[in-house]
Amino acid sequence: MSDLFIAAGGGGDPVGTAITAATVGRVLTGTPLGETTIATYAWERLEVDPTPGPLGAVHFAGLAHHAGMPVIAPTTRPIPPAGSTLPALAADLPARLALLDPWQGLPALAEQIRCLADGRDHVRIVDVGGDILAHGDEDTLCSPLVDALVLAACRLAGVPATVYVAGPGADGEIPQADVLDRLDGDALTPLAQDVAAVRAALSWHPSEASALFAAAVDGVRGPIRTVNHLIPLTDASARIHSATLDDALAHNTVAAHLLGVLPPTLEAAADLSAKLTQIHELDRERVAAAEPSAPARAALPWTEPAAWEAIRDAAQGAPHVTLRFAALALGLTWRQIPSLRALLGAKGPVLAVA
């Protein structure tokens, strides 16, 4: 029976979850990453998926199935106009990627997790950064709903679970010191071999939180310029902390309220989350999706010296930047990250610019 990990934050969390699963397998369970299932939302930033909100099974063609659940295969394709990085991740990550669909509400999400967990004695929930421990009133909080839904669904499903926070503070949503204050117990320290399994994905994926976590494991320290934040990487950024499901629920105000209401749709859950946090993740994406986007460039119109100069200027003195930040600073799209890496000779998940 393979281990089940849940990438609680959607977006690029499957990448950080794979690093976590490799570490947990090496240190605690002896289960290789290739025998692991990672359940994840298909909820990605609008530059990847221009349709607001997460994608469900109806938004994909060519899904496989496992334990009655849809599984993303390398040959799976999002149905236009939707977009997704998950099929490419399915090709580059050794783990199986199962699709979570929150549109039908909390009880249905709990049933999905119950099906995936059938026969397993434990589920491992992974959040890169730590907003899964959000109280809901943090000034820098951005996406409280997705993690809260996973916590509440696991409790409703009745599955024993441990919560892992990988790279505390790496997502910029809660300051690292605050995340660490909400965690007790020992931490796991990933090794380079644990990151090695996701190198191919890190070479092109626009995730910044997972990239920062991987960079910290690689030994990068100091401030990193991301698209929205300046995030300090410390020794703690390279670690994985754990918490019980009860402890995480005690911190997560939105999850506790979701369990009191059991919203029957994602829309209802988003409305409740917005009342508590003043952040409506569906409405925010609908507004952003309605705004005109810049046309994509077909080529990389930069020379190496000019690109470095422009990126350094945009970094404003930060010694490192994410590849996504560098691409946007040059007016490029995330799809051009591999070309940018080749132009600049980049080796790791972030660029050293100073």
Side-chain angles (χ1 to χ4, degrees), residues 2-341:
S2 65
D3 280 352
L4 174 62
F5 286 75
I6 299 177
D13 269 17
V15 181
T17 298
I19 298 172
T20 303
T23 306
V24 170
R26 176 177 54 81
V27 176
L28 298 179
T29 68
T31 305
L33 185 56
E35 297 178 12
T36 296
T37 295
I38 297 175
T40 180
Y41 300 111
W43 199 339
E44 303 181 76
R45 55 178 56 95
L46 289 173
E47 64 197 75
V48 172
D49 174 22
T51 63
L55 303 179
V58 298
H59 300 111
F60 288 95
L63 289 167
H65 288 83
H66 176 75
M69 286 290 293
V71 172
I72 302 288
T75 54
T76 301
R77 292 293 178 264
I79 299 171
S84 176
T85 65
L86 290 181
L89 282 181
D92 281 348
L93 297 180
R96 177 190 293 118
L97 291 182
L99 178 65
L100 295 176
D101 183 350
W103 277 111
Q104 299 307 310
L106 181 58
L109 184 62
E111 182 58 28
Q112 293 169 42
I113 292 173
R114 191 180 295 115
C115 287
L116 285 167
D118 186 37
R120 297 177 172 89
D121 59 7
H122 204 78
V123 171
R124 304 178 195 276
I125 303 167
V126 180
D127 176 48
V128 181
D131 61 321
I132 199 166
L133 304 177
H135 296 164
D137 58 355
E138 294 86 353
D139 291 340
T140 49
L141 189 63
C142 181
S143 55
L145 178 60
V146 287
D147 305 283
L149 278 168
V150 164
L151 283 182
C154 284
R155 169 47 53 84
L156 189 60
V159 296
T162 299
V163 175
Y164 292 90
V165 173
D171 60 352
E173 295 209 38
I174 304 177
Q176 184 181 83
D178 292 344
V179 176
L180 294 175
D181 282 345
R182 299 172 195 184
L183 291 162
D184 295 317
D186 296 331
L188 300 176
T189 301
L191 302 178
Q193 68 194 65
D194 303 318
V195 178
V198 306
R199 292 285 181 200
L202 287 169
S203 71
W204 60 266
H205 199 281
S207 170
E208 292 185 299
S210 288
L212 264 60
F213 172 43
V217 175
D218 285 342
V220 177
R221 298 292 182 269
I224 312 290
R225 183 75 64 184
T226 72
V227 170
N228 296 310
H229 304 283
L230 184 66
I231 297 179
L233 288 193
T234 68
D235 289 346
S237 307
R239 298 192 181 113
I240 302 165
H241 291 258
S242 62
T244 66
L245 182 60
D246 284 344
D247 285 345
L249 283 165
H251 283 289
N252 196 305
T253 303
V254 174
H257 280 78
L258 289 172
L259 284 167
V261 176
L262 302 184
T265 64
L266 178 63
E267 193 77 53
D271 289 344
L272 176 59
S273 178
K275 288 180 181 178
L276 297 168
T277 66
Q278 287 69 60
I279 301 170
H280 199 296
E281 288 158 72
L282 290 178
D283 284 352
R284 180 181 63 200
E285 289 200 355
R286 289 176 183 132
V287 170
E291 297 175 352
S293 57
R297 296 179 186 264
L300 193 69
W302 291 87
T303 64
E304 181 184 352
W308 277 118
E309 182 178 357
I311 294 168
R312 289 189 181 107
D313 287 346
Q316 297 179 319
H320 295 84
V321 301
T322 64
L323 268 297
R324 179 175 173 239
F325 175 91
L328 291 180
L330 298 179
L332 306 175
T333 72
W334 69 273
R335 294 184 183 278
Q336 292 165 299
I337 285 176
S339 298
L340 180 60
R341 287 172 58 91

